Amino acid sequence: MRRPFVGGNWKMNTDQAGAAELTRSVVEGIAGDGCEVAIFPPFPYLLTVGSILRERSSTLMLGAQDAYHQGNGAFTGEVSLDMLKDCGVSAVLIGHSERRHVIGETDDLIALKTRAIIEAEMHAVLCIGETLEQREAGETDAVNERQLKAALSEINAEQTNHLTVAYEPVWAIGTGKTATPADAQDAHAKVRAVLVGLFGDDAAASIRIQYGGSVKPANAAELFAQPDIDGGLIGGASLKAADFAAIVKATG
Ligand code: PEP
């Protein structure tokens, strides 16, 4: 009932020519796949990537890696949702662990951004997940619950068709370590239970929950076969078109 959804987070990688080349290869590689797919290039390359997607009549969603919650105005260095829409962006990553832990974004800021994205009727991909220290202290489910409740407190059930949750254990991102399929499924089932509490059974059953953290062609199928894992958010492997296409295929 939930259509699988895979996102490619390019982070602060590629140059303009490389972004164009990667887009063309991804479009060719995933043609005809039943999975929903989004790519999240760096801001400066959004227009280049978007124009290739249009040229090729691709159904791939164009995503941004972050956005500011305020309307256009005196916010030096920030990028508004109106600007992103104007560039053809329809999905926005929010609360990625690198923004939480490297840049220092707080739950409060992430809540403002999540609400603004959803109210703008763009698709919010809300990233949550525990650090290694929190996992070792047995706090995984409590951290996920806190991050979800903080970000989604002002969202109602009708708006959740604009929401995907990405569970990304911080210790698994870019490290080559992946949660076992059973551990990931357990965390996803608990995340869905929190969503039931926030939005009720029907809405919670429709929200896609992606897994992220060192997903590769070799481990994707087993992760995606779990009942509450509805695709993935892919970092490193999304920079190699063939690997990304193989991961997308693994949802089928
Ligand atoms: C990510 O950046 O969201 C991510 C999951 O990265 P990686 O796949 O490289 O671990």
Side-chain angles (χ1 to χ4, degrees):
M1 138 189 189
R2 292 182 296 271
R3 186 177 172 209
F5 180 22
V6 171
N9 173 15
W10 296 0
K11 311 195 187 197
M12 200 169 72
N13 290 302
T14 69
D15 55 18
Q16 190 166 184
E21 183 51 39
L22 182 55
T23 306
R24 288 188 198 100
S25 306
V26 168
V27 169
E28 271 164 39
I30 65 162
D33 215 289
C35 173
E36 187 163 13
V37 181
I39 48 177
F40 298 86
F43 287 133
Y45 307 138
L46 284 169
L47 287 175
T48 303
V49 170
S51 79
I52 295 168
L53 296 180
R54 271 196 313 281
E55 250 167 44
R56 316 243 154 166
S57 307
S58 172
T59 54
L60 246 148
M61 284 165 85
L62 181 61
Q65 296 174 20
D66 187 36
Y68 202 54
H69 57 284
Q70 300 275 11
N72 291 354
F75 302 102
T76 302
E78 295 295 340
V79 176
S80 74
L81 292 165
D82 280 349
M83 291 171 184
L84 293 173
K85 272 188 178 172
D86 199 23
C87 295
V89 168
S90 55
V92 185
L93 285 184
I94 208 73
H96 190 277
S97 78
E98 287 144 21
R99 297 215 57 89
R100 291 179 190 266
H101 301 292
V102 181
I103 314 290
E105 286 195 7
T106 61
D107 276 338
D108 287 349
L109 181 61
I110 291 163
L112 290 171
K113 291 183 173 191
T114 306
R115 184 176 165 190
I117 295 163
I118 289 178
E119 284 181 351
E121 303 199 338
M122 296 171 86
H123 199 83
V125 179
L126 171 67
C127 305
I128 58 166
E130 83 287 2
T131 63
L132 183 58
E133 208 180 21
Q134 290 165 331
R135 183 175 196 85
E136 286 173 346
E139 293 169 3
T140 298
D141 300 327
V143 168
N144 286 338
E145 180 167 357
R146 176 179 55 72
Q147 292 182 347
L148 281 170
K149 287 186 169 166
L152 299 173
S153 57
E154 295 190 48
I155 304 302
N156 62 48
E158 287 70 51
Q159 293 172 307
T160 55
N161 57 335
H162 295 294
L163 174 70
T164 291
V165 175
Y167 167 60
E168 302 203 293
V170 179
W171 50 270
I173 297 180
T175 58
K177 293 182 191 144
T178 318
T180 64
D183 282 351
Q185 165 56 26
D186 184 59
H188 279 231
K190 307 249 172 58
V191 165
R192 200 172 302 285
V194 175
L195 296 173
V196 169
L198 288 171
F199 303 119
D201 290 336
D202 290 352
S206 313
I207 298 171
R208 272 106 37 114
I209 308 175
Q210 298 175 325
Y211 171 79
S214 298
V215 177
K216 303 176 207 67
N219 59 23
E222 215 188 335
L223 286 160
F224 298 163
Q226 304 303 312
D228 285 292
I229 301 185
D230 308 311
L233 184 57
I234 318 301
S238 72
L239 295 168
K240 293 184 193 137
D243 284 2
F244 189 62
I247 290 168
V248 169
K249 208 167 251 356
T251 61

